[in-house]
Amino acid sequence: MKLRLYGIDTPEVRGAEKIEGKKVRDILREMILDKEVEIISYKDKQGKYGRYLATIILEGVDVNLWLVANGHATVYFP
């Protein structure tokens, strides 16, 4: 299942931000694939696609905030 990360904005994997977007995607994959994570999900009532928003917790660390703290994302609340 694909989820959008809650409260953050990362570079897109298409278009002008493609290179940076794929870099961030790969960092996230490396962090969480094949690991036990906690996912806190929220129904996106604002979005037109009806996606789920998620906060990912890995070993007690909020991955969304980690991405922001390490310069891979910015805080975003529409």
Side-chain angles (χ1 to χ4, degrees):
M1 174 183 278
K2 291 184 179 183
L3 302 166
R4 179 171 170 83
L5 298 178
Y6 179 72
I8 67 171
D9 188 31
T10 59
E12 298 294 330
V13 294
R14 294 186 177 103
E17 301 175 315
K18 181 179 180 176
I19 293 172
E20 188 63 25
K22 287 185 175 186
K23 176 182 166 189
V24 174
R25 178 199 63 194
D26 293 345
I27 289 168
L28 180 61
R29 284 180 176 172
E30 180 70 26
M31 286 180 75
I32 68 172
L33 280 182
D34 299 323
K35 298 191 175 87
E36 188 169 322
V37 298
E38 177 184 354
I39 297 176
I40 303 167
S41 65
Y42 317 86
K43 179 70 171 158
D44 184 1
K45 294 179 174 77
Q46 306 269 318
K48 63 182 176 180
Y49 301 110
R51 296 179 289 193
Y52 281 91
L53 304 173
T55 299
I56 300 173
I57 309 296
L58 172 67
E59 298 175 357
V61 174
D62 182 322
V63 173
N64 300 25
L65 294 179
W66 184 92
L67 289 168
V68 171
N70 287 276
H72 303 297
T74 56
V75 174
Y76 174 76
F77 290 102

